[in-house]
């Protein structure tokens, strides 16, 4: 029976979510369209959630 490394799994999901954000952010910059910008914001929020950041860490990132 294989052993599941939960930290490695969370890290992989976090990296994937961050890459989605980066891709959407680049598209938003290129297009300048509000819907693309909103999609990038939603992806960033999803990344913070998947990464398991606390509320205080989220606030620190957001300034």
């Amino acid at each position: 029976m294989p052993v599941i490394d939960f930290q490695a799994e969370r890290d992989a999901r976090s990296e994937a979510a961050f890459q989605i954000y980066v891709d959407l952010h680049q598209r938003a910059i290129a297009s300048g369209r509000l819907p693309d910008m909103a999609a990038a914001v939603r992806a960033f929020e999803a990344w913070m959630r998947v990464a398991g950041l606390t509320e205080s860490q989220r606030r620190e990132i957001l300034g």
Side-chain angles (χ1 to χ4, degrees):
M1 180 173 194
V3 175
I4 299 172
D5 183 348
F6 290 112
Q7 183 63 45
E9 181 68 24
R10 184 169 66 180
D11 289 348
R13 288 181 183 177
S14 176
E15 288 175 19
F18 190 76
Q19 187 58 53
I20 291 169
Y21 157 69
V22 169
D23 294 344
L24 290 172
H25 183 255
Q26 290 173 346
R27 180 171 38 173
I29 290 171
S31 74
R33 296 182 61 238
L34 190 56
D36 291 338
M37 293 176 198
V41 169
R42 285 191 302 272
F44 188 77
E45 291 172 344
W47 166 73
M48 290 191 297
R49 193 172 49 255
V50 169
L53 299 176
T54 65
E55 185 63 31
S56 63
Q57 290 170 320
R58 292 177 189 196
R59 287 182 184 161
E60 185 177 329
I61 288 173
L62 295 173

